[in-house]
Amino acid sequence: MDPAHARLHLEELRGRAVWLRALTPDTPRYKLWLGDLVEFTRVVFGLDSPEMAAVREVLAARLPPDADETARVRDYVRRLDRLIALIDRFARRFPAPLTLVDQPPDGRSRPVS
């Protein structure tokens, strides 16, 4: 996967993560998002990569199934925060492209195509 495509995919994953906070723990939307994150990590970094190990570490730290709802929501939000931090860390490996600006003689900037 080329770096620009990888960065766009990470930005999209991060954007979706923001609204996942409003959902209850372990909804189908969260599970699909998490599957996308795991698949991205597998394809880009590999199954045995330190990045995949970091994802596994976040997912391994879970409450028992009989935990009360308040604890489950807190754990879910904390897990999302940790996964978002991983996405941010992954994104730093794929720098944003530079936008070059051409300055014509009249002094007004315009993007270069």
Side-chain angles (χ1 to χ4, degrees), residues 6 12 35 62:
E12 190 270 332
R62 300 207 44 148

Side-chain angles (χ1 to χ4, degrees), residues 38-78:
V38 169
E39 181 66 8
F40 173 86
T41 307
R42 182 191 69 77
V43 168
V44 174
F45 300 110
L47 278 175
D48 297 324
S49 67
E51 293 82 4
M52 184 61 86
V55 172
R56 286 186 186 118
E57 180 184 334
V58 171
L59 297 178
R62 300 207 44 148
L63 293 177
D66 60 342
D68 70 30
E69 189 64 20
T70 302
R72 289 182 66 236
V73 168
R74 237 181 284 133
D75 181 62
Y76 170 73
V77 171
R78 186 173 48 249

Side-chain angles (χ1 to χ4, degrees), residues 13-31:
L13 284 168
R14 193 180 196 306
R16 282 194 295 159
V18 173
W19 62 262
L20 287 172
R21 288 176 193 278
L23 301 177
T24 57
D26 300 324
T27 62
R29 286 188 175 141
Y30 166 74
K31 290 177 181 178

Side-chain angles (χ1 to χ4, degrees), residues 74-86:
R74 237 181 284 133
D75 181 62
Y76 170 73
V77 171
R78 186 173 48 249
R79 191 169 52 252
L80 268 177
D81 288 342
R82 290 182 67 198
L83 290 169
I84 290 168
L86 282 178

